Amino acid sequence: VPRNYDPALHPFEVAREYVRALNATKLERVFAKPFLSSLDGHRDGVNCMAKHPKSLSTVLSGACDGEVKIWNLTKRQCIRTIQAHEGFVRGMCARFCGTSFFTVGDDKTVKQWKMESPEYGEEEEPIHTILGKTVYTGIDHHWKEPVFATCGHQVDIWDEQRTSPKCSLTWGFDSISSVKFNPIETYLLGSCASDRNIVLYDMRKSTPLKKVILNMRTNTLCWNPMEAFIFTAANEDYNLYTFDMRFLESPVMVHMDHVSAVLDVDYSPTGKEFVSASFDKSIRIFPVDKGHSREVYHTKRMQHVITVKWTSDNKYILCGSDEMNIRLWKANASEKLGVLAPREKAAMNYNQKLKEKFQFHPQIRRIARHRHLPKSIYCQIKEQRIMREARRQKELNRRKHSKPGSVPFVPERKKHIVAVVK
């Protein structure tokens, strides 16, 4: 279509676009129905989940009663159940080729299982079982080689063919809660310990590289799948910290919005956003470069969310919680599912551009940011705002009545770091 872009001919163009952007923003909130379905079948709280590396529709989950279930997401039903461990299933991970998966439990064992169901008449038995000396609290598989790492009292690196670890890595601490391989620089590992450390290891040197000590304990971490050096840590002090592993002195970003301990975090496959699960019965989606969440999901029945996963096609989020359910959410709350006509796609892209163009106008910003929260979270947010303001005022008063320079300004990013040890 030939168009004359002379502004004198279109004096109301901006006004028209503003109205369209406002309507698009309102409609986005009208159509925001993120909850898709819940997968029920577990008889105890869901403690851990794993994604299938090759199949989008398959997901694995482990519960607190030692049961492992494999789900088909397209049919939204359980296709296989294994009684894997006595006590909790502490961690699970799939092999990079997708033929088998590993589980660790409270019974001090590491078990490897076939991904396919057993044939008719066959027993449901693991391929390998490794008996350990201590309880393992987490497991992760290498992205390219037949090597996996477990954590407990120390980080052990195992070869799949052997029943004793290739090497054990330790740096003077008691219990390690999670261990993760870097998806890009595959020889790097990160782990979180209960003495508030985040430790980075190099598998080639079989030694720890460096560690950062925070004010409170980190529950788990997740590496960015697109940027090799970036990882995000979920902390007990209600925040998430995104670090660059080369400069651990201060985090790249502090993500604050949760009102209780953050228990799990997982990156989207694009590396632009991540989702966090919290003890405050909600999950939040954060852009990597923003301090506040763009989205918060909650339901009346959902209890403390223990584990969360972002599916590999960047469309859905899975979360497992205390009350035995796995819930399936849309990553983009107002997205229309199913096949889109070309005109629908064009209209969506146009509306998206309009919303970006006018995103800082007060009306549009207010509508886009507004979320309904459960009363408990709403009240806690208010309470914490008051506490933060009181702390700020107290510091200002101390600074005003002290010798100049005796009460230093500490930036928000440095406040939570105790030390970096190399």
Side-chain angles (χ1 to χ4, degrees):
V1 180
R3 273 193 64 188
N4 189 341
Y5 285 101
D6 180 10
L9 294 178
H10 308 281
F12 297 120
E13 185 181 29
V14 175
R16 251 183 235 137
E17 286 194 338
Y18 174 74
V19 171
R20 283 176 191 166
L22 191 63
N23 288 340
T25 310
K26 286 178 179 173
L27 283 174
E28 184 190 44
R29 296 316 309 144
V30 169
F31 291 126
K33 295 189 169 57
F35 180 70
L36 290 173
S37 75
S38 81
L39 312 172
D40 53 341
H42 275 296
R43 291 170 301 183
D44 209 334
V46 182
N47 198 44
C48 55
M49 287 195 296
K51 291 185 284 198
H52 193 295
K54 294 282 198 288
S55 154
L56 280 175
S57 60
T58 311
V59 72
L60 312 128
S61 63
C64 298
D65 56 355
E67 199 173 59
V68 168
K69 281 184 182 286
I70 301 178
W71 304 88
N72 185 333
L73 292 183
T74 39
K75 296 179 183 164
R76 296 185 191 170
Q77 64 191 39
C78 175
I79 49 178
R80 186 169 159 216
T81 305
I82 308 164
Q83 186 59 45
H85 295 277
E86 303 286 323
F88 282 44
V89 180
R90 285 290 172 193
M92 60 197 311
C93 65
R95 199 171 185 272
F96 59 90
C97 59
T99 53
S100 62
F101 64 95
F102 295 82
T103 60
V104 292
D106 275 356
D107 51 4
K108 302 184 184 176
T109 56
V110 182
K111 292 184 181 178
Q112 183 182 4
W113 307 84
K114 271 207 184 98
M115 199 63 88
E116 284 86 42
S117 304
E119 299 293 322
Y120 180 73
E122 258 189 79
E123 285 292 312
E124 184 75 89
E125 281 181 342
I127 311 172
H128 297 304
T129 304
I130 299 169
L131 296 171
K133 296 183 177 65
T134 56
V135 173
Y136 297 113
T137 53
I139 185 168
D140 197 30
H141 201 285
H142 195 283
W143 291 75
K144 289 182 180 143
E145 293 167 21
V147 170
F148 64 93
T150 59
C151 61
H153 283 294
Q154 60 199 23
V155 172
D156 292 328
I157 299 188
W158 307 74
D159 194 306
E160 282 181 15
Q161 308 303 323
R162 294 169 54 181
T163 54
S164 57
K166 279 206 306 186
C167 68
S168 298
L169 306 164
T170 172
W171 195 347
F173 34 70
D174 39 326
S175 69
I176 304 163
S177 55
S178 89
V179 62
K180 291 278 164 71
F181 274 101
N182 191 323
I184 303 168
E185 303 287 353
T186 48
Y187 46 81
L188 287 176
L189 295 112
S191 75
C192 313
S194 61
D195 56 356
R196 307 174 305 170
N197 291 343
I198 300 171
V199 190
L200 303 172
Y201 308 95
D202 191 332
M203 214 169 71
R204 299 167 303 179
K205 287 164 54 178
S206 312
T207 55
L209 292 175
K210 48 185 170 179
K211 67 176 173 181
V212 55
I213 306 170
L214 301 176
N215 274 335
M216 286 179 82
R217 196 180 81 192
T218 303
N219 287 315
T220 183
L221 61 86
C222 187
W223 293 94
N224 189 325
M226 286 292 163
E227 295 183 77
F229 303 108
I230 306 291
F231 65 90
T232 297
N235 205 284
E236 285 278 324
D237 64 0
Y238 315 169
N239 297 339
L240 294 115
Y241 301 101
T242 298
F243 283 98
D244 185 326
M245 65 168 282
R246 297 165 295 182
F247 316 109
L248 290 175
E249 287 72 30
S250 78
V252 181
M253 186 59 73
V254 180
H255 309 273
M256 326 164 91
D257 259 345
H258 280 296
V259 291
S260 195
V262 190
L263 300 179
D264 199 11
V265 58
D266 193 38
Y267 263 94
S268 75
T270 58
K272 296 235 170 89
E273 296 179 316
F274 59 84
V275 59
S276 63
S278 170
F279 201 73
D280 63 14
K281 309 178 188 177
S282 71
I283 62 175
R284 287 180 183 266
I285 301 173
F286 291 87
V288 173
D289 52 352
K290 300 274 195 308
H292 292 285
S293 60
R294 73 159 170 89
E295 200 63 81
V296 53
Y297 294 160
H298 54 85
T299 67
K300 266 204 176 118
R301 294 183 176 184
M302 188 155 76
Q303 295 301 311
H304 313 308
V305 193
I306 299 172
T307 174
V308 71
K309 282 276 178 273
W310 198 308
T311 57
S312 307
D313 61 347
N314 198 29
K315 272 195 184 304
Y316 306 104
I317 286 166
L318 289 151
C319 70
S321 49
D322 254 359
E323 75 327 318
M324 307 179 275
N325 269 352
I326 296 168
R327 288 183 174 78
L328 184 65
W329 308 84
K330 287 193 264 190
N332 182 1
S334 57
E335 185 180 21
K336 187 180 173 191
L337 298 179
V339 181
L340 293 182
R343 290 187 65 176
E344 277 183 305
K345 270 188 196 161
M348 272 174 48
N349 293 339
Y350 177 57
N351 285 343
Q352 189 57 40
K353 278 285 170 246
L354 283 178
K355 282 183 286 196
E356 280 171 25
K357 182 176 174 181
F358 291 96
Q359 62 184 334
F360 297 113
H361 280 241
Q363 282 288 62
I364 289 179
R365 192 168 165 201
R366 184 184 65 82
I367 294 166
R369 280 177 51 189
H370 181 75
R371 296 287 180 278
H372 279 292
L373 289 170
K375 193 176 177 187
S376 59
I377 296 182
Y378 181 76
C379 293
Q380 276 174 293
I381 287 176
K382 228 157 70 174
E383 196 179 312
Q384 282 179 12
R385 196 178 297 136
I386 293 166
M387 284 158 65
R388 210 171 351 202
E389 186 50 42
R391 279 199 293 271
R392 195 184 70 86
Q393 193 57 51
K394 182 177 178 182
E395 196 178 308
L396 284 176
N397 290 346
R398 281 182 60 197
R399 195 169 287 123
K400 199 158 66 178
H401 298 290
S402 310
K403 205 165 85 179
S406 61
V407 183
F409 285 96
V410 183
E412 183 63 45
R413 293 181 189 182
K414 295 261 173 130
K415 269 182 200 168
H416 311 278
I417 308 288
V418 177
V420 176
V421 188
K422 292 188 179 168

